């Protein structure tokens, strides 16, 4: 089978997210990052990888358009430029320039302001007019939302009460 493709001498940025947990760790190529269901007035952050697969440095990295409900916490890139991003393959937060073959991190926040479904994209602008985007979604609810979370000091959600006598 013959393979064909087109290279570029320009910068070309793409935004990916990571899959973590029991299914493994790696880039997620799915169509959308779903923040899940959150209570109105609460928020959830997620860190994404920005990769330059082009042949030139991307310059002037800035926050592009963000759909309603989605922001960069504290402004673009969602963390301190050059500082390590949390849990993301040793990535640091993006600066103003990304070298060819380089990668960096951005953090997006979903904070629903009403009980409804949200969808859209987060964007990174570069090279005066170019954008890279990642589809995002989430749901806001005004209903009670209970979560059971693992306690890191107990090794899981299972608690062994041991052997107990019964009457």
């Amino acid at each position: 089978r013959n393979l064909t493709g087109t290279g570029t001498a320009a910068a070309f940025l793409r935004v990916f997210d990571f899959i973590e947990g029991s299914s493994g760790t790696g880039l997620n190529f799915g169509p959308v990052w779903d923040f899940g269901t959150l209570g109105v007035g609460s928020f959830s952050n997620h860190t994404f990888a920005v990769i330059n697969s082009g042949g030139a440095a991307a310059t002037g990295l800035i926050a592009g358009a963000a759909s309603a409900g989605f922001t960069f916490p504290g402004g673009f890139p969602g963390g301190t430029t050059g500082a390590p991003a949390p849990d993301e393959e040793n990535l640091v937060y993006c600066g103003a320039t990304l070298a060819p073959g380089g990668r960096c991190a951005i953090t997006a926040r979903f904070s629903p302001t009403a009980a409804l479904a949200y969808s859209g994209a987060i964007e990174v602008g570069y090279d005066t007019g170019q954008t890279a985007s990642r589809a995002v979604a989430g749901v806001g609810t005004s209903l009670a939302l209970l979560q059971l979370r693992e306690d890191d000091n107990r090794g899981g959600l299972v608690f062994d009460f041991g052997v107990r006598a019964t009457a």
Side-chain angles (χ1 to χ4, degrees):
R1 172 172 147 172
N2 292 331
L3 298 176
T4 62
T6 303
T8 179
F12 183 73
L13 299 187
R14 295 190 59 195
V15 180
F16 296 100
D17 52 81
F18 287 91
I19 299 173
E20 298 179 44
S22 61
S23 64
T25 300
L27 289 178
N28 177 11
F29 295 97
V32 62
W33 175 258
D34 190 347
F35 281 87
T37 301
L38 296 176
V40 171
S42 64
F43 68 88
S44 178
N45 293 338
H46 184 74
T47 301
F48 296 85
V50 178
I51 299 174
N52 182 356
S53 59
T59 60
L61 273 68
I62 59 170
S67 300
F70 303 96
T71 60
F72 294 102
F76 184 81
T80 303
T81 298
D87 305 323
E88 299 304 336
E89 304 290 316
N90 299 315
L91 292 180
V92 297
Y93 280 108
C94 295
T97 301
L98 185 58
R103 59 192 193 131
C104 61
I106 59 173
T107 294
R109 174 173 287 174
F110 172 52
S111 49
T113 57
L116 52 88
Y118 293 79
S119 64
I122 55 166
E123 292 183 353
V124 176
Y126 65 101
D127 288 354
T128 313
Q130 301 297 315
T131 58
S133 65
R134 180 70 172 124
V136 289
V139 174
T141 183
S142 57
L143 302 174
L145 183 62
L146 303 178
Q147 295 180 344
L148 185 60
R149 296 196 179 216
E150 182 176 350
D151 181 348
D152 291 335
N153 296 322
R154 299 190 191 273
L157 294 175
V158 176
F159 183 78
D160 184 356
F161 286 94
V163 177
R164 301 284 184 244
T166 59

